[in-house]
Amino acid sequence: MTDETPFFSAHVFVCTNQRPAGHPRGSCADKGSEKLRDYMKARAKELGIAGARINSAGCLDRCELGTTIVVYPDGVWYSCRSRADVDEILTTHLVGGRPVERLMLTNDQRELRPEQVG
Amino acid sequence: MTDETPFFSAHVFVCTNQRPAGHPRGSCADKGSEKLRDYMKARAKELGIAGARINSAGCLDRCELGTTIVVYPDGVWYSCRSRADVDEILTTHLVGGRPVERLMLTNDQRELRPEQVG
């Protein structure tokens, strides 16, 4: 579509959508996504990851799998539960260039896998 | 990075960041980005564009060029001023598969081009 180098080599969107309490789909904000976003921004800065940007996003429509994160232009989706998960995404994917398979979401995924819940 | 088909064939992020009044960089919300996002969501639904998702995003850090929009996984950036601009992005890019060159931002762009201001 465009021959240019991506403006951000890793453009990360963290869902920070908040639904009303008791909504059957839940929401990423209920699972602590705002704190995870804050941590990810600070940690990416500390690590000095060139060309990375960590953004908030509205509802990414995969609420059951949240906190949901998508990394573009790669198009890799993650479920992220903890600071340790954030660290792994930053160091393995954004720095190392390899996706974190344990945390990745497949397109047809509707529930978290056991290794994503712990 | 992943062999899967993109989860969203067009994942559109519209900056809805609001800075305090008088900030030298301005902000997309000051330029009406929330209304443009609402219109884009409604219009994409009306057009029945399969696989498209229109999301809000926090500050995309190209405030001077706002309302700023980025379409992934293509990685095409736009400055969008009006409903007509939104329509053109939806019909030409998301439906037609061709970027809207008039509205595109280049990586090194710091000011809007004359055809983007009108």
Side-chain angles (χ1 to χ4, degrees):
Chain A
M1 180 65 74
T2 167
D3 294 333
E4 278 201 301
T5 304
F7 187 76
F8 295 122
S9 58
H11 202 170
V12 180
F13 294 91
V14 180
C15 178
T16 56
N17 189 52
Q18 175 76 67
R19 289 186 194 276
H23 191 286
R25 296 195 70 189
S27 63
C28 290
D30 279 341
K31 295 167 188 159
S33 66
E34 290 169 312
K35 285 189 179 170
L36 289 175
R37 173 210 55 200
D38 291 345
Y39 176 73
M40 196 172 206
K41 286 179 79 145
R43 194 77 185 107
K45 196 170 181 180
E46 276 176 7
L47 292 168
I49 305 177
R53 179 136 186 115
I54 316 300
N55 267 118
S56 302
C59 179
L60 300 175
D61 203 25
R62 306 189 78 178
C63 318
E64 299 80 1
L65 304 171
T67 292
T68 309
I69 290 176
V70 57
V71 180
Y72 283 114
D74 295 337
V76 174
W77 288 75
Y78 291 113
S79 175
C80 181
R81 291 298 173 111
S82 65
R83 290 185 169 207
D85 289 349
V86 168
D87 284 339
E88 195 170 349
I89 292 167
L90 290 175
T91 55
T92 303
H93 184 160
L94 271 63
V95 177
R98 300 184 309 281
V100 181
E101 297 200 5
R102 178 177 67 87
L103 302 175
M104 279 177 74
L105 301 175
T106 58
N107 283 352
D108 60 354
Q109 191 170 343
R110 295 289 175 270
E111 296 178 0
L112 294 175
R113 299 187 298 272
E115 71 270 25
Q116 295 175 328
V117 179
Chain B
M1 180 66 74
T2 168
D3 294 333
E4 279 201 301
T5 305
F7 187 77
F8 294 121
S9 58
H11 201 169
V12 180
F13 293 91
V14 181
C15 178
T16 55
N17 189 52
Q18 176 77 66
R19 288 187 195 275
H23 191 286
R25 296 193 70 188
S27 62
C28 290
D30 279 342
K31 294 167 188 160
S33 66
E34 290 169 312
K35 284 188 178 171
L36 289 175
R37 173 209 55 199
D38 291 345
Y39 176 73
M40 196 173 207
K41 286 179 80 144
R43 195 76 184 109
K45 195 170 180 181
E46 276 176 7
L47 292 169
I49 305 177
R53 176 132 188 121
I54 316 299
N55 267 119
S56 303
C59 179
L60 299 175
D61 203 24
R62 307 190 76 178
C63 318
E64 299 80 1
L65 305 170
T67 291
T68 308
I69 289 176
V70 57
V71 181
Y72 284 113
D74 296 337
V76 174
W77 288 75
Y78 290 115
S79 176
C80 181
R81 293 297 174 112
S82 65
R83 290 184 168 209
D85 290 349
V86 168
D87 284 339
E88 195 171 348
I89 292 168
L90 290 175
T91 55
T92 303
H93 184 162
L94 271 63
V95 177
R98 299 184 310 281
V100 182
E101 297 202 5
R102 177 178 67 87
L103 301 175
M104 279 177 74
L105 301 176
T106 58
N107 283 351
D108 60 355
Q109 192 169 342
R110 296 288 175 270
E111 295 178 0
L112 294 176
R113 299 187 297 273
E115 71 269 25
Q116 295 176 326
V117 179

